[in-house]
Amino acid sequence: MNILISTGNDGVFLSLSLGEADMEETVFDRFLDHKRIFRKDKDILRPSYIPDELPHRQDQIEQMASILATALKGDRPSNILIFGKTGTGKTASVKYLGKEMKRADKALKVSFIYMNCEVVDTQSGVLQNIGNHFIDDFSERIPFTGWATERVYNTLTQHIDNEKRVIIIVMDEIDKLVYKSGDDVLYHLAKVNDDLVNAKLSIIGISNDLKFTEFLDPRVQSRLGEEKMVFPPYNAEQLKDILNQRSILAFIDGVIDPGVIPLCAALAAQDHGDARRALDLLRVAAELAERSSDEEVTQAHVYKAKNKIELDCVIEVIKTLPTQSKLVLMSIIINEERDNNRMTTGEVYTVYKDLTRMMGVSTLTQRRVTDLISELDMLGLIHARVKSFGRGGRTKEIEASIPPTEVRRVLADDEVLDAIRNYRPPSQMTLNI
Ligand SMILES: Nc1ncnc2c1ncn2[C@@H]1O[C@H](COP(=O)(O)OP(=O)(O)OP(=O)(O)O)[C@@H](O)[C@H]1O
Ligand SMILES: [Mg+2]
């Protein structure tokens, strides 16, 4: 219905039209016109959202708070190393503490700096990142490149030492930094307090890989690990509490079937008690329900979500394969496409050789291709079984685990597929009668 009010010379017009067009359905109606699943803020189920309370992490949070509280009095807290499997709430708990620290720090004496070392993964990147927090004047900022580490380090210490304050630096995914750039920067940071007069600095390192400490110089190891904490995986009951807390905030009342949250919790607990996975299952299930205009999220949506998440992981694996492995995978797919769905290594190799020639890349030996086939098998992209022919020897029987159309779709924009797009496999040598 249109209501048109216009004020012309003749006074006020009010035109009311109930045109035919208004009665017609549009392609969008189906998506707009159903009961909503999510409340306004969908981000509540995303990893970046930090809830006001973290169920089942109170002990860890209190333990960290007891170590860090001293910063509010101007003293340096011990460095902390936090370990725990993926999705056990390490990042969320430390970010939560950062928020609490800001609230408690009335005298503004504490700087809480969070850094993800998967992003900031070089020595100078880390020092520059910390230093620039304390340099207001843009022209004096430490540049990304071009300065020797020594100079970056000296500028950093100078600037952070201007005032009496405690600086807490969170280095999340610290293992990534150590594997990529070694432990030099940690060595510098661990002993920076020796060079400071006014300020004090302490480090919270977070990792889901216990082994990275073996790569640290023993001095760095003992300084960083003044306090160590381990975050245990969640069990299904704990995951249920976490999901319940979020679902109250995220969903309209009554749209979640009572079996949904226990199922998400159980599936995630089977993995290794990963809260991220549990939340992903719930979010994707609800998105699938919303997309198909269902009014309730059911267990069936959760199973669909599980498949979708698994497929998304597979897609990521395929996209990031090295070129040679992509060619081997394509050789398997091409064999399948001509109805050869139990092929031998030799048959894969024949197609592979053609493809490498078409693409102009080097042709690996059959032995090496056999290794790549085993790798694809380990990644779950294909399934290979050893088959013996009595005295005749052994070969592998190979089949793809993902439908060929799916692989082609994933690689649609990939240069590998582009180069071999017009490949026609040689006509089959054996006749299937
Ligand atoms: N106790 C909890 N209460 C509420 N939400 C939680 C809790 N623990 C984890 N989460 C949520 O689960 C997700 C994953 O948690 P987080 O990012 O802290 O895991 P992590 O231990 O840092 O994992 P990774 O090692 O992979 O970085 C986040 O969305 C987080 O908010
Ligand atoms: Mg994390």
Side-chain angles (χ1 to χ4, degrees):
M1 178 165 62
N2 290 327
I3 302 176
L4 177 78
I5 305 174
S6 70
T7 45
N9 291 338
D10 310 336
V12 177
F13 282 106
L14 191 131
S15 121
L16 211 141
S17 76
L18 201 91
E20 249 174 57
D22 296 303
M23 310 288 276
E24 274 171 16
E25 280 186 7
T26 71
V27 70
F28 300 107
D29 294 351
R30 195 159 67 85
F31 302 99
L32 296 173
D33 223 23
H34 55 86
K35 208 166 127 190
R36 288 215 339 260
I37 300 259
F38 287 96
R39 287 185 200 278
K40 253 200 191 126
D41 190 0
K42 254 192 196 180
D43 289 345
I44 285 173
L45 292 173
R46 298 216 172 254
S48 51
Y49 176 82
I50 311 289
D52 291 337
E53 242 180 85
L54 293 162
H56 305 293
R57 279 300 170 249
Q58 285 318 307
D59 289 352
Q60 285 78 5
I61 288 174
E62 259 173 41
Q63 195 184 337
M64 282 193 283
S66 73
I67 299 168
L68 297 179
T70 185
L72 293 165
K73 290 187 275 174
D75 294 327
R76 186 187 85 84
S78 303
N79 296 328
I80 312 175
L81 265 187
I82 300 173
F83 296 104
K85 291 212 169 119
T86 184
T88 50
K90 302 181 297 296
T91 302
S93 301
V94 170
K95 283 192 168 170
Y96 171 84
L97 267 168
K99 277 206 312 199
E100 288 290 291
M101 182 63 90
K102 277 213 175 78
R103 288 204 311 139
D105 182 26
K106 301 276 187 282
L108 301 178
K109 282 291 164 211
V110 183
S111 303
F112 195 95
I113 300 174
Y114 173 88
M115 191 184 318
N116 188 326
C117 297
E118 192 171 16
V119 184
V120 188
D121 62 359
T122 61
Q123 275 206 64
S124 50
V126 169
L127 296 177
Q128 186 232 24
N129 194 302
I130 300 168
N132 284 344
H133 268 92
F134 301 98
I135 306 176
D136 295 330
D137 187 344
F138 243 86
S139 61
E140 284 181 28
R141 288 204 157 192
I142 305 169
F144 269 113
T145 50
W147 283 17
T149 312
E150 200 63 22
R151 184 172 173 199
V152 179
Y153 179 76
N154 289 337
T155 313
L156 164 110
T157 35
Q158 238 175 41
H159 277 94
I160 60 180
D161 210 19
N162 275 342
E163 249 185 78
K164 202 168 160 40
R165 68 180 141 216
V166 181
I167 299 152
I168 299 171
I169 297 177
V170 179
M171 303 181 80
D172 204 350
E173 322 235 358
I174 192 169
D175 48 308
K176 304 266 166 49
L177 171 76
V178 173
Y179 289 134
K180 167 124 196 274
S181 310
D183 66 349
D184 282 2
V185 69
L186 296 179
Y187 178 77
H188 281 307
L189 287 178
K191 70 171 193 58
V192 70
N193 288 301
D194 304 343
D195 298 330
L196 296 174
V197 181
N198 298 312
K200 294 170 179 129
L201 183 141
S202 72
I203 301 170
I204 302 178
I206 305 178
S207 168
N208 54 28
D209 172 5
L210 263 168
K211 276 206 288 246
F212 90 95
T213 52
E214 291 169 15
F215 294 83
L216 299 177
D217 179 294
R219 281 165 301 178
V220 179
Q221 213 179 91
S222 68
R223 285 211 186 184
L224 266 189
E226 286 169 339
E227 297 277 354
K228 286 199 187 105
M229 294 179 63
V230 177
F231 279 46
Y234 296 111
N235 61 32
E237 284 305 309
Q238 294 171 329
L239 289 173
K240 255 199 279 184
D241 291 339
I242 292 171
L243 293 177
N244 273 323
Q245 177 213 38
R246 292 284 179 103
S247 72
I248 292 169
L249 300 171
F251 301 116
I252 308 272
D253 293 344
V255 296
I256 307 287
D257 177 277
V260 163
I261 286 181
L263 179 59
C264 293
L267 290 172
Q270 267 170 19
D271 267 2
H272 61 257
D274 177 347
R276 184 182 295 115
R277 179 144 173 83
L279 285 163
D280 280 350
L281 276 169
L282 183 60
R283 177 177 50 83
V284 175
E287 281 170 359
L288 290 173
E290 189 181 51
R291 226 170 287 161
S292 47
S293 307
D294 296 335
E295 302 203 329
E296 221 191 12
V297 185
T298 62
Q299 293 196 343
H301 291 120
V302 177
Y303 285 114
K304 273 194 202 142
K306 181 171 179 278
N307 288 341
K308 182 175 185 306
I309 292 170
E310 278 162 10
L311 188 62
D312 287 350
C313 286
V314 168
I315 288 172
E316 206 40 48
V317 171
I318 295 177
K319 278 189 183 157
T320 49
L321 285 175
T323 303
Q324 287 286 353
S325 301
K326 277 184 191 155
L327 285 172
V328 175
L329 179 62
M330 275 318 295
S331 311
I332 294 167
I333 295 302
I334 289 167
N335 266 292
E336 288 231 337
E337 282 170 341
R338 52 174 188 177
D339 287 338
N340 181 9
N341 38 26
R342 292 243 172 116
M343 65 210 84
T344 62
T345 313
E347 286 167 324
V348 176
Y349 192 64
T350 308
V351 176
Y352 162 82
K353 271 191 300 192
D354 287 348
L355 297 186
T356 51
R357 265 180 236 128
M358 275 189 92
M359 244 200 106
V361 298
S362 59
T363 309
L364 303 177
T365 59
Q366 181 158 346
R367 201 194 172 91
R368 185 72 193 107
V369 167
T370 307
D371 289 345
L372 294 183
I373 290 174
S374 302
E375 277 177 33
L376 292 175
D377 190 5
M378 272 189 323
L379 290 170
L381 300 177
I382 62 156
H383 187 62
R385 259 185 314 264
V386 176
K387 196 176 170 197
S388 51
F389 300 107
R391 270 180 295 133
R394 298 184 323 155
T395 183
K396 275 188 173 158
E397 207 176 66
I398 301 158
E399 57 186 330
S401 315
I402 316 138
T405 44
E406 202 58 52
V407 177
R408 281 198 184 264
R409 195 179 60 76
V410 174
L411 292 179
D413 302 325
D414 197 280
E415 57 167 3
V416 168
L417 208 69
D418 222 30
I420 60 173
R421 199 173 297 282
N422 298 321
Y423 175 70
R424 293 277 164 272
S427 54
Q428 228 155 321
M429 301 295 282
T430 48
L431 283 177
N432 295 325
I433 304 169

